Amino acid sequence: MTLQQIKYAIAIASCNSFNKASEKLYISQPSLTSSIHDLEGELGFSVFNRTSRGTRLTERGALFICDAKKLYMDYESLLKKYASGEKKSFSVSALYYAFARKAFVQIVKEFSVGGYEFAFCERKASLVIEDVALGKSEIGILYLSDSNRDSISKCLKSNGLEFHHLTECNAFVYFHKNHPLAKKESVSLDELSAYSFVTFDTDDVKSFFSDEIIVRYGLNQAITVADRSTELNLLKTLDGYTFLSGVSGEETNEDFVLVPLKNPDGGLSHSFELGYIAKSGAKMDEISLAYIDSVRKILNIEGFLC
């Protein structure tokens, strides 16, 4: 068993697809399949079930991946500590939040003279968790809701991570200023049904809305995009909409507006708990503390860390 095989297996488990994993790893699918075949032969059991519907972990495979992630995380930490000489790095993985990007820019300016290598990755929730678990990022920014709290909490625990509360926030609908619903005081999902829903990733939508709501209001038929500029263009040209948390420091573009979203029962939605994740029990270094401090200031949260 090699570290490369472990890396490949973790990537397949993350993507639920050999094809997507091969694209992510920049290797051919036959090479990836051969490597996993050799790994499973050495282990003596199948890690993955391959069906016409996709790739899923076997029961023993799920246990193996859980242990493999911990091992690979230790390897990454060891490599980061000893193989890079005097190099220092700081990386953040986050959902698509403007305040997270703003805080990161501030940290780059503040610590640029310290010889750091910086990275900021905008990802869906599962990959934010994976990045922090594998040591690719020191900090992850995400949210908990009634729909995803149990699953996210279990995932964090199994990966040796902790969620730290920052603030509560409401769900808002994001429109172009000329959208027919842009001037309303609040908007219901019924009112949105006539317009195009645009999002970065439907998995994150599933984390906030129940399956029943997603199907009932057609949120599973979203137009999925890969970058913010494309999303804004579609919101403008198609009279589209997307969802944002509406926290202080979130997207501020004079051509677009935030309108509170009503729950199906007529009340305003308020079930986001915004926070950051880090390794359990780990002492945060100066730059990580400074980043969270910057986030708190942008969000107007009291109790700065440093």
Side-chain angles (χ1 to χ4, degrees):
M1 184 190 312
T2 66
L3 285 168
Q4 185 180 61
Q5 289 173 322
I6 291 175
K7 179 181 178 180
Y8 289 173
I10 292 172
I12 296 168
S14 174
C15 298
N16 291 324
S17 165
F18 274 72
N19 184 45
K20 291 181 180 179
S22 67
E23 293 176 358
K24 179 180 179 180
L25 294 165
Y26 299 103
I27 65 171
S28 68
Q29 187 170 337
S31 295
L32 179 62
T33 301
S34 176
S35 181
I36 296 302
H37 181 267
D38 291 342
L39 172 63
E40 292 177 325
E42 185 176 349
L43 292 173
F45 60 86
S46 295
V47 177
F48 300 101
N49 277 327
R50 306 155 178 85
T51 69
S52 58
R53 295 183 178 180
T55 302
R56 293 291 183 271
L57 288 167
T58 63
E59 185 174 349
R60 292 192 71 184
L63 294 174
F64 170 76
I65 291 297
C66 183
D67 288 336
K69 284 183 176 180
K70 295 175 183 177
L71 175 64
Y72 201 78
M73 179 179 65
D74 289 340
Y75 163 71
E76 290 275 350
S77 297
L78 190 67
L79 189 65
K80 186 175 181 180
K81 183 175 182 179
Y82 294 105
S84 57
E86 295 300 317
K87 284 186 178 180
K88 296 181 290 184
S89 63
F90 178 68
S91 178
V92 174
S93 293
L95 302 180
Y96 303 91
Y97 282 128
F99 69 81
R101 295 193 296 273
K102 292 176 183 176
F104 187 77
V105 170
Q106 292 177 5
I107 292 304
V108 171
K109 291 179 179 178
E110 182 179 349
F111 287 85
S112 59
V113 296
Y116 280 89
E117 291 184 348
F118 296 97
F120 184 84
C121 304
E122 292 186 318
R123 319 269 265 163
K124 65 181 182 180
S126 60
L127 296 181
V128 170
I129 293 172
E130 180 179 301
D131 283 354
V132 180
L134 295 178
K136 295 179 180 179
S137 290
E138 283 73 25
I139 299 291
I141 303 291
L142 48 71
Y143 67 83
L144 299 181
S145 70
D146 291 342
S147 295
N148 76 357
R149 187 178 302 276
D150 287 343
S151 61
I152 292 290
S153 297
K154 289 178 182 177
C155 188
L156 293 177
K157 184 176 181 180
S158 67
N159 283 286
L161 304 177
E162 288 180 318
F163 179 87
H164 301 268
H165 174 86
L166 285 172
T167 188
E168 299 287 341
C169 47
N170 299 330
F172 282 71
V173 186
Y174 198 53
F175 295 118
H176 186 265
K177 64 182 180 181
N178 294 328
H179 192 284
L181 302 177
K183 297 185 183 300
K184 294 182 66 69
E185 292 186 2
S186 61
V187 177
S188 69
L189 289 172
D190 284 325
E191 292 174 293
L192 294 172
S193 62
Y195 303 97
S196 298
F197 173 41
V198 185
T199 185
F200 283 105
D201 198 291
T202 52
D203 285 349
D204 289 331
V205 178
K206 293 175 184 177
S207 295
F208 183 60
F209 296 103
S210 67
D211 290 340
E212 178 186 353
I213 294 297
I214 289 172
V215 173
R216 178 180 174 184
Y217 292 98
L219 301 181
N220 54 345
Q221 300 171 17
I223 300 172
T224 305
V225 299
D227 62 85
R228 193 59 166 167
S229 61
T230 301
E231 181 186 49
L232 295 179
N233 185 46
L234 289 174
L235 295 184
K236 178 180 179 180
T237 58
L238 297 181
D239 275 342
Y241 69 93
T242 193
F243 299 107
L244 292 178
S245 67
V247 295
S248 174
E250 189 49 277
E251 299 291 356
T252 53
N253 185 317
E254 61 182 14
D255 290 329
F256 293 84
V257 297
L258 287 167
V259 179
L261 173 68
K262 292 180 181 178
N263 274 333
D265 63 4
L268 293 181
S269 177
H270 52 81
S271 54
F272 282 109
E273 181 185 1
L274 187 70
Y276 67 93
I277 59 173
K279 293 179 182 178
S280 300
K283 183 178 180 180
M284 298 181 71
D285 57 15
E286 179 188 7
I287 191 169
S288 296
L289 289 171
Y291 177 75
I292 298 303
D293 186 29
S294 181
V295 168
R296 288 177 178 272
K297 289 176 179 176
I298 292 172
L299 298 180
N300 297 314
I301 301 172
E302 295 183 355
F304 302 141
L305 295 175
C306 58

